[in-house]
Amino acid sequence: MSTIDTSRAKPHAASHGHHDESYLASRGSLFSNIWDWCTTVDHKKIGVMYLFAVLILFFIGGLAAILVRLELFEPTRVVGGKVVGSLFQSLTAPEATSTAAGNNWYNRTFTLHGAIMVFMVIVPSVPASLGNFFLPIQIGAKDVAFPRLNLLSWYIYVIGSIFAVLSIILGGVDTGWTFYTPYSTLTDLGFSRVAIMVFAVFVLGFSSILTGLNFVVTVHKLRAPGMGWFDMPLFIWGVYSTAIIQVLATPVIGITLLLLCMERLFRIGIFDPSLGGDPVLYQHFFWFYSHPVVYVMILPGMAIISELIAVHARKRIFGYRAVAFASLGIAAVSFLVWGHHMFTGMGEMASFIFSGLTFLVAIPTAVKVFNWIATLYKGSIAINTPMLYALIFLFLFTIGGLTGLPLATLATDVHLHDSYFVVAHFHYVMMGGTIMAFVGGIHHWWPKMFGKMYAEKPAMVAAILVFIGFNLTFIPQFLMGAQGMPRRYASYVDDFHIYHQLSTYGSFLLLVGFLLHAFVLVHSLVAGKKAPANPWGGLTLEWATDSPPIAHNFHHEPIVTHGPYDYDSVVPPHWDPKDYPLPDQKQVAQIHAGH
Amino acid sequence: MTTLDAHTHNPADPNSPAFARYKHGHHWRSQAEEFDGTKLGFWLFLSTEVLLFAGIFCAYAIFRMLYPEAWAEGSSQLDWRFGGANTIVLLLSSYTMAAAIYSCQTGKFARMRINLLITIACGILFLAIKFLFEYTPKWSGWFFFLDPHLADVHHTKEALGGLFKFVEGYGGKRPGQFFDYPFAKDANIPLWWSVYYCGTALHALHVIIGMILIARVYLKSLKMTYGPTYYTGVEIAGLYWHLVDLIWIFLFPLLYLIH
Ligand code: HEM
Ligand SMILES: [Cu+2]
């Protein structure tokens, strides 16, 4: 059973022979290969380049997180004043007393962590890497609509990241990733590191806009013949909704950051109250972008989950249309709720309205979660790493979502605002949601991307380590946040000691888990078995081409003849595993048992 | 949906002009689809530009509400004649840009080039008016003509046979911290100038980018890249230029006319 109807397919121009080779095939010398990659307009290579860059930045941001956790291991100063602190101290504030310098160091480290994780890791993670690679293939296109623009946005991303790292090398920024004014316009004027960091984020925004724009046009114009809107895989729906938010929200952060830079350079007073400006205006502008962007972060994660659950439970997605529309619904509502970040700084009426609107997001989100669970029900679930991550996602994301409710409720938010409860909440959503889906997606598509199978068991062990580590890290943060531990402090009262210790241990476990993942994946590249075209028996188009795909994605232009999840109608009741040679015969047996 | 007639020239003929030999990207099914896709993408991009300016307009609206006196005083300090002249220049340039696109589609290449050049000239004229007659006097106090508002103000220096005049205290209408305009009536007037400069400077930057795009089209037109069967680049530069024009059409009354 194949996804493409070859009888009606027309062959591509036969003139370019090497386009039938794997996109990874190397031609010529090492130098010409590197040059090939640097100038490639192939969406698959660009996706891999994004994956590489994002993972490097994830590692840097993760190291910063570990440093933050180390600092918080003791109620008073641990690292800041001593080891790393001395480095920053000499660069930045040599005259400061050691406590002040230590606090300085701490502020810079969590800002570094937050800024990298948000702007350089989680926002581009799924769309720019996996999206770039699989969006065109899943809709049966040869490339994204604007391949050169695609390469350009990778370079813009790298340049933005370099600027951000530069501001760190010059001594770091201590404003927090939100750059709230007037603090961000009044500090550190001699060094302008804030300006460099803000400029970096501005540049990164461009990359995000260009990627989003490219995807929207690709989905609109390049779907294979026969693929209507409701024949698209749900991954496409998620990435498409994300792309719309990226295009519509990012310009607002662009103008905000421009005004912020102007404010720093010329003290123009838009945000500075001493000049008649309004700092809360900055927060409105900032969150008008940043709240929708929260969904830029989570929607692609949800999109991956839909794929993982359908493929690894081998079932038609329950309520396909509802899930698809829920993506659009979330995208729409995301623009209406930004005010919930300013309950403590706005009028009552406005807070009341924003609180009400915030609850609306729960509806499309719940639609998705319930549909995934309904899909799992009586599915022939294969417990492997991607499925494990889908389950982890469901667990963690649900906690993250539910803990958002007390934050959206005015009365409780007054107590919880800017406490560790918030820190735990957004980590459950962003990391427990998106990063988990991202890692799951990487495993799901790894055989397709690189043509190699990874070792399933160690990967599952790593996933379990990550799961335990994650909860150990962030559950104590809920508890101490509810008891009043404020965020962004380097020192704290002894009552919170045990929670912070547990949290730090959890972060070590996370680190171990992720390193094990990295090892497993790298190992598979070197020594993994060759992956078959369709190791999981998926029905979406990417599984209908070689692993790794050829340069033009398909040998023939695909014509779609069935839906992405038509397992019940496409896969015969007594499905022959030879059609989808699974690497592990035990899994085959499992799937059979389910039927 | 636009249809493109790709059959008027023989694409294989090496002597036919470049636009006739244009081959669409291999991932598009046809040139018409490529054209549509590119336009859709560019419209999306234009919507991001509008949103970028929306930030400025928001700031304008909020501070206008908070400090109506400052806004009234500020806009009465702007000379609507320069703003009006700029509006006319831009409208004219939008017309010539549209004419350039039309000439390209109908194969009148000389006319197309002339129209492109006029458009660029209009852009230069716009910037010249902006910088010489508006920004410079407000920063320094030196200016060309006698402003009616300054009839009762004492001139202190003259240069170039009276063509340039310097008025003490006229300059200093700078934004925020740099503001030092001694006879300002409202305490929040620096904020008005901040919004004025941010808005108009961002717009001027877009004028410059638009001019670069059009210059690129002009250079390519010398190589016959564009013609009746392929004019995506011209169309896009035109769309951008119209947007620049449109934003000015909003900025002009808001800043100059509503006191
Ligand atoms: C490796 C596991 C991680 C650990 C141990 C960790 C730890 C922390 C801690 C302790 C804070 C609080 C700093 C403070 O407010 O004083 C924090 C803040 C933050 N983290 Fe993480 N984090 C991790 C992963 C992530 C990931 C994957 C993301 C996003 C994708 C992320 C995004 C953020 C953001 C946005 C903040 C807010 C920074 C701020 O308050 O300005 N973190 N993290
Ligand atoms: Cu929010």
Side-chain angles (χ1 to χ4, degrees):
Chain A
M1 185 55 57
S2 140
T3 335
I4 53 172
D5 177 351
T6 34
S7 60
R8 280 165 63 204
K10 37 186 170 31
H12 284 153
S15 52
H16 5 260
H18 64 256
H19 288 156
D20 284 335
E21 285 174 17
S22 147
Y23 80 104
L24 289 172
S26 83
R27 267 166 272 127
S29 64
L30 178 68
F31 178 77
S32 75
N33 265 326
I34 293 176
W35 183 247
D36 252 20
W37 276 82
C38 292
T39 57
T40 183
V41 290
D42 182 347
H43 67 101
K44 297 182 286 300
K45 288 189 177 176
I46 295 172
V48 171
M49 279 150 71
Y50 264 115
L51 188 64
F52 184 68
V54 166
L55 289 180
I56 286 185
L57 282 156
F58 184 59
F59 186 68
I60 298 177
L63 282 186
I66 295 291
L67 289 178
V68 167
R69 280 313 332 159
L70 275 178
E71 172 57 49
L72 294 170
F73 192 74
E74 292 294 334
T76 46
R77 189 136 317 288
V78 190
V79 203
K82 294 178 195 156
V83 200
V84 196
S86 53
L87 174 72
F88 277 90
Q89 218 171 318
S90 56
L91 278 168
T92 55
E95 75 287 352
T97 65
S98 93
T99 314
N103 287 342
N104 237 329
W105 170 85
Y106 178 77
N107 293 345
R108 284 164 212 275
T109 311
F110 81 65
T111 302
L112 162 72
H113 164 70
I116 288 197
M117 286 301 193
V118 169
F119 297 113
M120 283 154 255
V121 175
I122 200 163
V123 170
S125 61
V126 179
S129 64
L130 297 176
N132 237 323
F133 198 108
F134 288 105
L135 178 128
I137 306 187
Q138 280 197 332
I139 61 172
K142 273 190 254 178
D143 208 325
V144 291
F146 311 116
R148 274 185 299 164
L149 195 68
N150 202 13
L151 181 65
L152 178 70
S153 43
W154 186 78
Y155 277 106
I156 294 178
Y157 170 76
V158 172
I159 289 170
S161 303
I162 288 174
F163 268 105
V165 173
L166 185 72
S167 83
I168 294 157
I169 293 173
L170 292 177
V173 175
D174 63 357
T175 58
W177 70 279
T178 49
F179 313 119
Y180 274 5
T181 56
Y183 184 70
S184 56
T185 56
L186 295 178
T187 52
D188 180 41
L189 283 172
F191 296 95
S192 290
R193 292 180 296 251
V194 179
I196 297 175
M197 179 63 105
V198 166
F199 179 70
V201 173
F202 179 74
V203 170
L204 288 164
F206 263 99
S207 163
S208 186
I209 289 181
L210 295 180
T211 306
L213 195 149
N214 218 336
F215 286 179
V216 172
V217 178
T218 309
V219 170
H220 273 267
K221 298 284 176 186
L222 291 178
R223 274 171 290 134
M227 180 176 280
W229 280 92
F230 295 105
D231 303 320
M232 296 195 312
L234 286 166
F235 182 67
I236 305 291
W237 273 104
V239 174
Y240 173 73
S241 315
T242 309
I244 290 179
I245 307 183
Q246 279 176 298
V247 173
L248 294 185
T250 317
V252 180
I253 193 79
I255 188 69
T256 312
L257 297 179
L258 272 184
L259 287 175
L260 182 63
C261 278
M262 290 295 119
E263 181 105 4
R264 278 187 72 90
L265 292 175
F266 306 120
R267 298 284 319 284
I268 59 173
I270 305 264
F271 304 128
D272 186 345
S274 69
L275 294 167
D278 183 357
V280 179
L281 179 64
Y282 175 84
Q283 300 189 16
H284 277 291
F285 277 178
F286 181 84
W287 287 108
F288 184 81
Y289 160 79
S290 292
H291 189 85
V293 161
V294 169
Y295 295 98
V296 164
M297 304 173 194
I298 195 67
L299 275 172
M302 295 171 155
I304 291 182
I305 295 305
S306 298
E307 297 297 306
L308 299 191
I309 286 186
V311 174
H312 297 280
R314 308 195 49 73
K315 256 190 76 187
R316 177 195 284 276
I317 281 280
F318 182 85
Y320 166 93
R321 280 189 189 228
V323 178
F325 279 124
S327 294
L328 291 178
I330 290 175
V333 179
S334 73
F335 281 98
L336 305 176
V337 303
W338 78 91
H340 63 211
H341 295 270
M342 285 157 280
F343 282 157
T344 49
M346 273 191 318
E348 265 177 34
M349 193 59 202
S351 301
F352 184 72
I353 294 171
F354 277 120
S355 170
L357 287 170
T358 302
F359 287 116
L360 280 184
V361 187
I363 299 170
T365 312
V367 165
K368 284 188 177 250
V369 172
F370 287 129
N371 281 346
W372 288 323
I373 293 175
T375 307
L376 285 172
Y377 178 68
K378 286 198 176 166
S380 20
I381 299 174
I383 293 293
N384 51 21
T385 317
M387 181 49 98
L388 213 49
Y389 267 103
L391 298 176
I392 293 177
F393 173 98
L394 283 180
F395 186 84
L396 300 182
F397 179 73
T398 306
I399 296 182
L402 290 178
T403 51
L405 297 180
L407 297 174
T409 310
L410 289 180
T412 35
D413 183 60
V414 173
H415 174 63
L416 296 173
H417 181 68
D418 267 346
S419 75
Y420 259 77
F421 192 88
V422 174
V423 176
H425 155 69
F426 69 65
H427 279 90
Y428 263 86
V429 180
M430 290 154 63
M431 192 179 176
T434 312
I435 296 290
M436 296 302 144
F438 185 42
V439 179
I442 291 177
H443 283 86
H444 177 66
W445 279 309
W446 190 264
K448 180 53 68 183
M449 287 196 282
F450 299 104
K452 292 290 170 76
M453 299 305 296
Y454 56 87
E456 195 67 67
K457 283 217 181 80
M460 282 166 71
V461 171
I464 291 165
L465 282 181
V466 167
F467 177 71
I468 300 174
F470 181 89
N471 286 298
L472 188 55
T473 308
F474 294 109
I475 287 181
Q477 297 189 7
F478 277 127
L479 300 179
M480 63 180 145
Q483 292 170 41
M485 170 76 206
R487 72 195 278 202
R488 300 185 175 176
Y489 280 81
S491 314
Y492 51 88
V493 292
D494 285 339
D495 306 51
F496 298 122
H497 195 181
I498 177 71
Y499 299 111
H500 275 298
Q501 278 188 328
L502 287 175
S503 188
T504 302
Y505 288 130
S507 70
F508 293 159
L509 210 55
L510 267 173
L511 180 66
V512 174
F514 280 128
L515 287 179
L516 182 54
H517 271 314
F519 175 78
V520 170
L521 292 180
V522 171
H523 175 264
S524 84
L525 291 182
V526 189
K529 272 185 290 180
K530 189 172 166 10
N534 191 356
W536 321 122
L539 294 181
T540 41
L541 282 176
E542 78 269 33
W543 304 112
T545 181
D546 304 358
S547 296
I550 58 171
H552 273 173
N553 293 353
F554 299 98
H555 294 285
H556 302 282
E557 180 172 42
I559 293 171
V560 180
T561 56
H562 59 72
Y565 310 113
D566 286 348
Y567 289 97
D568 34 5
S569 59
V570 174
V571 180
H574 297 289
W575 168 64
D576 183 354
K578 265 181 265 147
D579 284 346
Y580 302 117
L582 286 163
D584 178 355
Q585 288 306 311
K586 252 188 260 148
Q587 277 175 32
V588 179
Q590 259 174 0
I591 289 166
H592 263 310
H595 267 278
Chain B
M1 185 62 133
T2 316
T3 47
L4 287 168
D5 180 8
H7 304 293
T8 45
H9 298 266
N10 178 7
D13 178 4
N15 295 322
S16 61
F19 62 82
R21 278 176 281 126
Y22 177 77
K23 241 184 92 42
H24 57 87
H26 78 283
H27 56 296
W28 295 95
R29 274 181 288 266
S30 70
Q31 193 186 331
E33 256 179 51
E34 181 183 60
F35 179 70
D36 280 344
T38 311
K39 268 205 355 193
L40 174 64
F42 205 74
W43 274 105
L44 279 171
F45 176 71
L46 292 185
S47 69
T48 69
E49 292 278 20
V50 170
L51 285 161
L52 189 75
F53 277 93
I56 300 276
F57 288 122
C58 268
Y60 174 94
I62 290 166
F63 289 122
R64 184 189 171 92
M65 222 156 61
L66 288 177
Y67 313 122
E69 286 85 17
W71 252 232
E73 187 190 341
S75 69
S76 71
Q77 292 296 332
L78 292 179
D79 193 333
W80 66 270
R81 291 170 303 176
F82 296 130
N86 263 345
T87 311
I88 293 169
V89 169
L90 274 195
L91 282 177
L92 175 70
S93 73
S94 252
Y95 171 76
T96 53
M97 190 65 221
I101 298 173
Y102 182 72
S103 322
C104 178
Q105 289 165 334
T106 49
K108 304 200 174 70
F109 298 110
R111 191 177 293 178
M112 167 190 174
R113 286 185 202 123
I114 289 176
N115 274 310
L116 288 174
L117 287 180
I118 297 177
T119 314
I120 295 175
C122 284
I124 294 172
L125 187 60
F126 177 92
L127 292 175
I129 293 176
K130 196 88 223 146
F131 282 103
L132 292 181
F133 299 108
E134 300 213 84
Y135 281 178
T136 316
K138 290 187 181 71
W139 279 77
S140 62
W142 282 103
F143 57 98
F144 278 104
F145 299 106
L146 200 60
D147 191 312
H149 301 106
L150 296 169
D152 52 342
V153 180
H154 182 61
H155 300 192
T156 44
K157 289 179 219 162
E158 288 196 355
L160 274 183
L163 205 58
F164 289 93
K165 297 186 193 304
F166 180 85
V167 171
E168 196 71 65
Y170 183 77
K173 295 180 181 115
R174 282 167 288 194
Q177 183 191 33
F178 300 105
F179 186 79
D180 57 4
Y181 174 34
F183 40 95
K185 294 186 209 76
D186 196 283
N188 290 304
I189 186 94
L191 209 54
W192 154 270
W193 293 111
S194 302
V195 171
Y196 165 78
Y197 283 111
C198 285
T200 52
L202 190 63
H203 177 262
L205 182 69
H206 280 75
V207 173
I208 294 171
I209 296 171
M211 283 162 58
I212 293 172
L213 280 181
I214 296 171
R216 178 172 166 273
V217 170
Y218 177 79
L219 291 180
K220 288 200 158 194
S221 83
L222 297 177
K223 292 192 227 142
M224 297 300 279
T225 306
Y226 302 117
T229 53
Y230 174 65
Y231 50 83
T232 313
V234 194
E235 175 114 5
I236 286 207
L239 280 176
Y240 193 84
W241 193 254
H242 293 320
L243 177 87
V244 167
D245 191 20
L246 186 76
I247 288 172
W248 179 256
I249 298 293
F250 279 97
L251 283 177
F252 171 58
L254 286 179
L255 293 175
Y256 289 77
L257 300 182
I258 308 177
H259 291 333

